[in-house]
Structures are given as C-alpha cells and as structure tokens.
C-alpha cells in the first residue's frame, strides 16, 4: 500500500475520514504539494487530484494518479510525464448531473430570453423582448454521448425533446435516445437539430470540429451548447453565426481561448451566454461525493492489487 497518499482537492471532514478508513495505517497529506521537499514528494505513492505539471518529475514513487477531473490535461499524457508503471485515472461520471443542469439552465435562459429581461431589469426598463422557443416538440442532438451528454440528453427527453446522439464508437441505444449514430453521421444530423449539445474531450479529432462549414450546416435559429472543451468550436465563426442571426444563440461553459481575454469580441454578443468553466467543479456538493467514491474504490483496488477503474486511455487521451 502507499507510503503516503496526497489529496489535493477540497474535501469535507467526512470525506477525509472515508478516505483514511479505506487505507488504514497510511499517512494522508491534505493540501498543495508545493510546500513539500523532493524527498517528501518521492515518498508519495498515490495522488488524488490534479498536481501541477512542474511537480510531476518529482513524484518518482507514484503508482496511482487519480485525477479529480473528467477531462485529462495534456501535461499528464506527455511521454515520461509519469513514472513507468504509474496508473492514470480520471473522474468520469462524477460531473454529469451538475453540468447537465447548468447547461439546461443556459438553454432555458436563451430560448426564454431571460438574459435579456435581466438586462432590462438592471436599467429599470419594463419591456417585452418578443417570441420565445419551447423545448417540448424540439429536436436535440447530443455530440458525445458519454456521462455528461447522457445526463443532458435524458433531461431534454423528459422535457419533451426528441433526442438523437452521435458518438465515436457504436453502442447500444438507450431508451431516451430516438437515434444513435457514430460521428460519420454528424453532418447529416446537424440540419435537423434545434439544440446541439457538445460534450467532447480535446483530441486531434475534436479540435475545430465545429468550424464555419459545420456551423453553416446547423438549422437556422438553432442553439449551440458547449460543455466539453472550447477547442471544439471555431470562436470567430461562432461569433459570426450568432451575430448574423444564423444561430439563435450559444451557451458556453468553455471557450477558445480560455480564459476568454478581457475585451474579446464574444463578451459583447447578447445571445452568447458565457460561464467561466464552472458547470462542473466543486460547486455542487454531490459532485465531490462522487469523486471521493471513485477515489475510495481505486484505493481499495490498489490495496488489493486489482486493476483500477476509470483508467485513462493514453491513445485516445481520455
């Protein structure tokens, strides 16, 4: 078992007790690694959380890096970044409900013009902003039917939208999806969707996936939602599509670049809603509960010499 386990993400006292109970007799360190000496860092066998890139070469005794993020920063995937034999695991599945509800809120704000009414409220102006759109009777396309995409799609289906999905590899179609295809069908399905939800990791195949040509293929008046990585969308092309009226709007929890610089054109576009990559995080307490559950399971597996769960595929990058 680990000489020392470092926990880098914020946990409650109950979480601390649960983690320590999973690995009795092992020393736990809660906090940042920057204050530790190279000798102390070399004694760490398991890290629960996302260590800074500059610390990685000093974690010479590392056997398990259990990230608290669903996505994987490229620094962890570079050849030689981790000691040979160290397992890299993510927290996929922990963030789905929180992100899905956040993005549903952004969608409702856009199609019901709530952001415009809030702007009117701030200046004390009583005005009607015109027609709105409904989720019931609409068509939703989920691009990336993983945990996050599935949680969003299930909520849209419950509200009366016909939900379709595309994913990288074939799979069994769940009941809440009316159609499930692989990415080769994306261009065929885009013109039919009122709402397009992106939940994609950053890989060579996803960078710039929604370029001008693909945005042009979207239905006139559609809404684009992005909860995956900002690099999947051509920022300038999206700005043009919304400003021209081609798209009704966009809800973005991720941008390219990120953080979005002060004064960037996109800040001033009324029908683009932007949140600073906060739909996941630790804002919803249940998310941290799920991450701790994943960590406890992998600590148990480490202790028992069993294969880890949530292993990152190094070739795919997630």
């Amino acid at each position: 078992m680990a000489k020392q386990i470092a926990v880098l993400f914020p946990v409650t006292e109950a979480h601390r007790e649960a983690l320590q109970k999973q690995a009795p007799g092992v020393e736990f360190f809660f906090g940042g690694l920057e204050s530790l000496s190279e000798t102390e860092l070399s004694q760490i066998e398991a890290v629960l959380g996302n260590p800074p890139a500059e610390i990685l070469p000093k974690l010479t005794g590392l056997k398990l890096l259990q990230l608290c993020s669903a996505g994987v920063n490229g620094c962890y995937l570079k050849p030689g970044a981790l000691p040979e034999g160290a397992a890299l695991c993510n927290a996929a599945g922990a963030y789905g409900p929180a992100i899905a509800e956040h993005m549903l809120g952004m969608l409702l704000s856009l199609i019901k013009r709530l952001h415009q009414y809030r702007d009117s409220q701030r200046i004390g102006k009583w005005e009607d902003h015109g027609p709105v759109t409904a989720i019931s009777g609409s068509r939703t396309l989920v691009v990336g039917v993983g945990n996050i995409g599935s949680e969003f799609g299930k909520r849209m289906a419950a509200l009366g939208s016909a939900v379709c999905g595309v994913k990288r590899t074939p799979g069994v179609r769940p009941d809440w999806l009316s159609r499930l295809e692989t990415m080769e069908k994306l261009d065929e399905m885009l013109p039919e969707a009122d709402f397009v939800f992106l939940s994609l990791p950053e890989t060579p195949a996803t960078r710039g996936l929604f370029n001008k040509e693909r945005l042009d293929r979207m239905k006139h008046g559609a809404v684009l939602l992005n909860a995956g990585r900002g690099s999947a969308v051509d920022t300038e092309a999206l700005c043009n599509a919304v400003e021209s009226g081609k798209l009704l709007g966009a809800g973005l929890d991720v941008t390219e670049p990120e953080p979005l610089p002060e004064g960037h054109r996109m800040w001033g576009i009324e029908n683009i809603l932007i949140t600073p990559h906060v739909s996941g995080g630790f804002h919803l307490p249940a998310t941290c509960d799920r991450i701790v559950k994943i960590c406890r399971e992998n600590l148990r597996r480490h202790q028992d010499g069993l294969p880890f769960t949530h292993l990152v595929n190094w070739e795919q990058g997630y």
Side-chain angles (χ1 to χ4, degrees):
M1 192 52 196
K3 301 173 185 176
Q4 188 178 65
I5 298 170
V7 181
L8 310 185
F9 63 99
V11 291
T12 65
E13 187 59 36
H15 291 149
R16 290 189 181 210
E17 293 176 2
L19 289 167
Q20 290 169 329
K21 185 177 180 180
Q22 194 67 59
V26 177
E27 182 181 356
F28 275 76
F29 174 81
F30 295 91
L33 299 178
E34 294 81 0
S35 63
L36 301 182
S37 68
E38 289 198 18
T39 300
E40 290 171 320
L41 289 170
S42 70
Q43 297 298 307
I44 295 174
E45 196 166 298
V47 172
L48 311 181
N50 296 40
E54 60 270 18
I55 296 290
L56 294 177
K58 302 174 184 178
L59 298 173
T60 55
L62 191 68
K63 302 298 181 185
L64 168 64
L65 175 51
Q66 171 62 66
L67 303 175
C68 61
S69 58
V72 181
N73 188 304
C75 71
Y76 303 123
L77 297 170
K78 291 180 179 178
L82 303 182
E84 186 175 354
L88 177 62
C89 302
N90 63 22
Y95 294 93
I99 294 175
E101 291 186 7
H102 181 100
M103 301 307 294
L104 178 58
M106 294 187 92
L107 175 61
L108 284 167
S109 183
L110 282 165
I111 66 174
K112 302 302 181 185
R113 301 182 181 271
L114 301 184
H115 59 302
Q116 293 174 309
Y117 286 110
R118 181 55 187 252
D119 289 345
S120 294
Q121 178 183 337
R122 289 188 182 280
I123 60 174
K125 190 173 183 180
W126 187 280
E127 61 181 333
D128 189 324
H129 286 285
V132 297
T133 304
I135 292 177
S136 179
S138 69
R139 296 182 67 86
T140 298
L141 176 60
V142 175
V143 183
V145 191
N147 171 255
I148 294 168
S150 295
E151 291 289 345
F152 182 81
K154 285 187 282 189
R155 284 161 174 77
M156 293 297 287
L159 291 171
S161 184
V163 183
C164 299
V166 292
K167 57 185 299 187
R168 188 179 59 84
T169 57
V172 178
R173 180 180 63 81
D175 292 341
W176 53 269
L177 270 181
S178 60
R179 181 183 176 189
L180 178 62
E181 302 286 355
T182 55
M183 293 294 287
E184 289 75 15
K185 296 285 187 179
L186 175 60
D187 286 342
E188 173 188 316
M189 299 169 74
L190 272 176
E192 303 172 357
D194 299 292
F195 312 123
V196 177
F197 178 83
L198 308 184
S199 179
L200 297 167
E202 183 170 350
T203 69
T206 63
R207 291 188 194 105
L209 183 68
F210 274 72
N211 53 20
K212 179 184 184 301
E213 291 73 26
R214 202 151 269 127
L215 292 170
D216 285 344
R217 292 190 66 85
M218 290 178 61
K219 185 177 182 178
H220 185 85
V223 174
L224 180 71
L225 302 165
N226 190 7
R229 289 294 181 265
S231 59
V233 180
D234 182 321
T235 299
E236 291 302 314
L238 177 61
C239 290
N240 291 338
V242 175
E243 285 190 324
S244 69
K246 163 66 179 178
L247 298 183
L248 171 66
L252 310 174
D253 188 47
V254 290
T255 61
E256 179 68 22
E258 188 174 305
L260 192 66
E262 182 179 351
H264 193 283
R265 167 192 183 189
M266 196 156 65
W267 286 119
I269 300 177
E270 183 178 47
N271 277 4
I272 295 182
L273 297 186
I274 304 165
T275 52
H277 209 148
V278 295
S279 63
F282 303 108
H283 298 85
L284 185 68
T287 299
C288 200
D289 294 341
R290 295 185 185 95
I291 295 171
V292 169
K293 184 178 180 180
I294 293 169
C295 291
R296 290 188 63 196
E297 176 61 18
N298 271 338
L299 287 179
R300 182 188 72 79
R301 288 169 178 258
H302 181 48
Q303 187 175 31
D304 295 343
L306 298 173
F308 293 111
T309 185
H310 289 75
L311 275 168
V312 172
N313 185 309
W314 289 73
E315 291 184 359
Q316 295 173 3
Y318 57 92

